């Protein structure tokens, strides 16, 4: 069954992902705001932790102080009651009331501390402490303390909690003769601690606001180099890759700027090479295409000889186009890291193989000038390709019977191969130009009839550079040219080879 889908349905199906993407873009928070938010959040967590821990420590310390104070007061009263002697007169106290009155009258108490005495008949001895009146008169809760079987506990009053300790007083016969009560208003201390914590919270809030403003300013300064990179990237276009970032300092931002500039250099080089490649390729390919089109347009179909000649000319131009395309593809591959795969190669065998292949390039007197001995770390196929290209160049610039010398040599730091011909040499003004793409120089002589694309020496240069080396030209105009392929070797490579051979022997 065919289902009809309307244009509106199709539009809606595409609109939903676009709306979702738009919502995601709207939800993107600027990096500066995120940095500030994270810093403020971390500081907030730290401040909240400090406030909570501080309050708990202060409360624990207050309760510990209250307990210590109560135990101390109780211990002092026990010691006083055990002695039972007035230190001023030396006489013993007649009863518990005198004992309680005398001890209580001598106390110096804190604002939150209460001392209370109750005689055996229930009479309250004059109290000490600001909260004692509230306990004895307003709440009248002291009776609960007397009736409690515990010697220490917490009592809830209208003014807050009281932690108390009571010590019974006994007469000479061991009977009850009153009670000594000492209490501590722990909630009053807690309220003072809460006041302190509120002040701390207020100061922390002000500090948090100041930190937020400071983090906003600092994050802006930190992100300024990144914004500079962003603005520079926004100004870069396909036609203008010259924008660069000023590198200052030696920190991570400076390293980022330096890497960004390096990336721009590589991009600029790649775009320039691509543009030059397209310009040169279009220029070189335009000529054979024009030749082929011109001959095909004016060919006489009734003349078999002319038609055969046109086919031959078109075939030659197509072959030349094919060679140009192959050379251009080879140069494009030269930018890849796997263009050269170096391996240990026996230089004697490699030199001999190349010399055997050179003899078929042309009717010339091929002489093997020298042979390098030992091992070399090179790509044998690429080296062979480069040397043959140099030899082909020499064949083009010489005549039958001329001498072309080939050789190889090795030192502690490099391996070299060369082709030395007896042709017309290279003009000084062409010494650099001939290594450029599609450059044929202006040597004249045997070169005048050559129709190559001018990519041979460019390919040789690419092979040498892929090895980390270079191509050297030595020439005297009218007296031949010597092209040398110099390929560097890793430091200590030959010493390691010699040591390995010695250990094997």
């Amino acid at each position: 069954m065919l289902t009809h889908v309307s244009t509106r349905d199709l539009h809606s199906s595409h609109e939903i992902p676009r709306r979702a993407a738009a919502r995601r873009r709207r939800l993107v928070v600027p990096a500066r705001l995120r940095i500030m938010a994270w810093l403020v959040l971390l500081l907030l967590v730290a401040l909240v932790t400090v406030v909570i821990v501080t309050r708990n420590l202060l409360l624990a310390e207050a309760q510990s102080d209250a307990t210590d104070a109560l135990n101390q007061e109780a211990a002092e009263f026990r010691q006083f009651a055990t002695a039972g002697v007035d230190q001023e007169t030396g006489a013993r106290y007649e009863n518990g009331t005198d004992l309680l009155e005398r001890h209580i009258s001598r106390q110096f108490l804190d604002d939150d501390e209460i001392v209370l005495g109750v005689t055996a008949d229930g009479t309250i001895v004059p109290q000490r402490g600001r909260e004692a009146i509230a306990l004895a008169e307003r709440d009248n809760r002291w009776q609960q303390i007397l009736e409690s079987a515990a010697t220490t506990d917490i009592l809830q009053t209208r003014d807050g909690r009281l932690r108390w300790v009571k010590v019974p007083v006994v007469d000479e016969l061991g009977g009850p003769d009153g009670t000594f009560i000492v209490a501590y208003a722990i909630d009053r201390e807690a309220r003072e601690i809460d006041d302190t914590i509120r002040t701390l919270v207020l100061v922390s809030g002000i500090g948090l606001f100041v930190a937020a403003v400071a983090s906003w300013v600092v994050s802006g300064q930190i992100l300024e180099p990144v914004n500079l990179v962003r603005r520079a990237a926004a100004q870069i276009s396909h036609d203008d890759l010259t924008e660069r970032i000023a590198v200052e300092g030696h920190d991570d931002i400076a390293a980022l700027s330096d890497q960004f500039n390096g990336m721009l250099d590589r991009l600029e080089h790649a775009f320039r090479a691509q543009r030059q490649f397209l310009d040169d390729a279009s220029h070189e390919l335009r000529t054979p295409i024009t030749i082929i089109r011109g001959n095909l347009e004016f060919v006489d179909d009734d003349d078999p000889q002319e038609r055969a000649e046109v086919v031959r000319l078109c075939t030659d131009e197509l072959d030349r186009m094919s060679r140009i395309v192959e050379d251009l593809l080879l140069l494009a591959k030269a930018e890849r890291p796997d263009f050269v795969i170096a391996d240990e190669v026996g230089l004697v065998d490699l030199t001999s193989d190349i010399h055997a292949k050179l003899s078929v390039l042309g009717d010339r007197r091929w002489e093997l000038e020298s042979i390098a001995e030992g091992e070399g770390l090179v790509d044998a196929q690429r080296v062979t390709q480069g040397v043959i290209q140099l030899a082909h160049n020499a064949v083009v610039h010489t005549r039958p019977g001329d001498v072309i010398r080939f050789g190889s040599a090795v030192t502690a730091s490099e391996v070299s191969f060369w082709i030395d011909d007896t042709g017309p040499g290279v003009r000084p003004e062409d010494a650099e130009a001939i290594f450029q793409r599609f450059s044929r120089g202006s040597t004249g002589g045997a070169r005048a009839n050559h129709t190559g694309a001018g990519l041979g020496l460019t390919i040789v240069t690419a092979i040498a550079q892929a090895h980390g080396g270079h191509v050297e030209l030595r020439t005297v105009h009218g007296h031949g040219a010597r092209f040398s392929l110099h390929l560097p070797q890793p430091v200590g490579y030959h010493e390691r080879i010699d040591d390995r051979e010695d250990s094997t022997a």
Side-chain angles (χ1 to χ4, degrees):
M1 176 182 289
L2 295 178
T3 303
H4 175 69
V5 180
S6 66
T7 305
R8 179 179 299 177
D9 294 335
L10 291 174
H11 178 73
S12 300
S13 64
H14 292 290
E15 186 67 22
I16 292 175
R18 285 198 295 267
R19 290 177 180 175
R23 282 196 299 270
R24 286 194 296 269
R25 287 194 296 270
R26 286 196 298 269
L27 291 176
V28 173
V29 181
R32 186 177 185 181
L33 185 59
R34 291 202 302 271
I35 292 175
M36 186 196 73
W38 277 110
L39 291 176
V40 171
L41 179 61
L42 291 175
L43 184 58
L44 177 62
V45 171
L47 290 175
V48 170
T49 303
V50 168
V51 168
I52 294 175
V53 171
T54 301
R55 183 177 184 276
N56 291 335
L57 289 177
L58 290 176
L59 289 175
E61 184 179 0
Q63 293 179 4
S64 177
D65 292 343
T67 302
D68 293 341
L70 292 176
N71 293 333
Q72 181 181 354
E73 290 293 341
E76 290 177 356
F77 178 76
R78 289 190 185 96
Q79 183 179 2
F80 180 77
T82 301
V85 178
D86 188 346
Q87 296 180 357
E88 295 180 359
T89 62
R92 294 187 62 82
Y93 294 107
E94 297 180 357
N95 51 52
T97 301
D98 294 338
L99 183 68
L100 290 171
E101 288 178 352
R102 186 62 176 172
H103 181 74
I104 292 174
S105 64
R106 294 170 124 186
Q107 299 304 306
F108 297 95
L109 307 177
D110 295 335
D111 291 340
D112 300 326
E113 198 173 2
I114 302 167
V115 173
L116 181 68
V118 183
T119 63
D121 58 1
T123 302
I124 299 177
V125 178
Q127 309 91 356
R128 295 292 303 276
R130 194 167 59 185
E131 291 297 318
I133 298 176
L135 173 65
E137 296 180 358
R138 275 204 327 239
D139 280 347
N140 198 22
R141 304 292 293 276
W142 54 269
Q143 192 64 34
Q144 294 184 13
I145 297 176
L146 294 175
E147 296 175 355
S148 175
T151 58
T152 180
D153 202 350
I154 295 178
L155 179 66
Q156 184 68 43
T157 69
R158 279 184 283 178
D159 291 335
R161 295 175 300 164
L162 292 177
R163 182 184 293 275
W164 55 266
V165 174
K166 66 179 181 179
V167 179
V169 180
V170 296
D171 57 16
E172 295 180 354
L173 299 177
D177 198 12
T179 303
F180 175 76
I181 301 173
V182 58
Y184 204 93
I186 56 178
D187 280 349
R188 178 184 294 274
E189 187 73 14
R191 286 192 292 269
E192 293 178 357
I193 292 174
D194 289 340
D195 292 339
T196 302
I197 293 300
R198 279 191 288 270
T199 304
L200 179 60
V201 170
L202 178 61
V203 174
S204 299
I206 296 174
L208 190 65
F209 175 76
V210 173
V213 175
S215 63
W216 177 263
V217 175
V218 172
S219 61
Q221 294 177 350
I222 294 175
L223 292 175
E224 179 58 28
V226 179
N227 292 330
L228 182 62
V229 173
R230 178 182 56 80
R231 290 193 293 269
Q235 295 177 3
I236 295 171
S237 64
H238 183 274
D239 299 324
D240 184 14
L241 294 172
T242 60
E243 185 71 22
R244 294 295 183 272
I245 300 173
V247 180
E248 298 179 358
H250 302 282
D251 54 3
D252 294 339
I253 299 299
L256 172 63
S257 302
D258 189 58
Q259 291 292 331
F260 187 80
N261 288 339
M263 180 190 68
L264 291 180
D265 292 337
R266 293 190 295 272
L267 287 176
E268 185 178 10
H269 173 73
F271 276 108
R272 188 186 299 114
Q274 183 186 42
R275 190 179 295 112
Q276 180 182 0
F277 177 85
L278 293 176
D279 293 342
D280 294 342
S282 62
H283 173 74
E284 290 297 323
L285 294 176
R286 189 181 295 116
T287 300
I289 291 175
T290 302
I291 294 175
I292 293 173
R293 179 179 295 168
N295 282 277
L296 291 177
E297 287 178 352
F298 296 101
V299 64
D300 186 358
D301 294 337
D302 297 331
D303 188 347
Q305 183 177 358
E306 181 180 355
R307 186 169 60 252
E309 180 65 18
V310 169
V311 170
R312 185 187 65 79
L313 289 174
C314 291
T315 302
D316 289 343
E317 291 301 316
L318 289 174
D319 291 339
R320 187 158 72 92
M321 289 177 63
S322 177
R323 288 194 301 273
I324 293 174
V325 172
E326 289 177 358
D327 290 344
L328 290 175
L329 289 176
L330 180 62
L331 289 174
K333 291 179 180 178
E335 301 293 334
R336 294 167 46 180
D338 59 346
F339 176 65
V340 164
I341 302 176
D343 197 2
E344 291 185 3
V345 177
L347 297 178
V348 174
D349 294 338
L350 178 60
T351 304
S352 301
D353 291 344
I354 294 176
H355 183 256
K357 295 175 182 178
L358 296 181
S359 59
V360 300
L361 294 180
D363 183 15
R364 304 294 187 269
R365 290 172 52 194
W366 297 95
E367 296 183 358
L368 184 58
E369 197 169 32
S370 67
I371 299 178
E373 296 182 355
E375 303 285 334
L377 193 63
V378 297
D379 187 326
Q381 292 184 355
R382 294 301 183 192
V383 170
T384 302
Q385 184 180 12
V387 173
I388 289 177
Q389 185 63 57
L390 293 177
H392 178 74
N393 245 23
V395 170
V396 171
H397 290 85
T398 55
R399 293 178 174 83
D402 287 350
V403 175
I404 300 178
R405 288 178 289 273
F406 163 64
S408 63
V410 60
T411 64
S413 59
E414 70 174 18
V415 175
S416 58
F417 301 86
W418 64 85
I419 293 292
D420 194 351
D421 64 55
T422 55
V426 181
R427 298 177 185 273
E429 59 270 22
D430 294 332
E432 295 184 4
I434 59 175
F435 290 97
Q436 304 299 321
R437 291 182 180 182
F438 302 106
S439 175
R440 299 182 179 86
S442 55
T443 54
R447 177 71 169 170
N449 296 323
H450 180 56
T451 58
L455 292 173
L457 292 179
T458 307
I459 294 174
V460 176
T461 302
I463 292 173
Q465 291 177 348
H467 280 85
H470 64 282
V471 179
E472 181 183 9
L473 167 63
R474 295 180 183 177
T475 181
V476 176
H477 186 54
H479 299 280
R482 180 188 180 99
F483 289 88
S484 301
L485 191 64
H486 296 274
L487 310 177
Q489 299 295 287
V491 177
Y493 170 73
H494 293 291
E495 288 77 359
R496 293 195 297 271
I497 294 295
D498 295 338
D499 293 341
R500 189 172 62 188
E501 292 177 351
D502 293 340
S503 62
T504 303

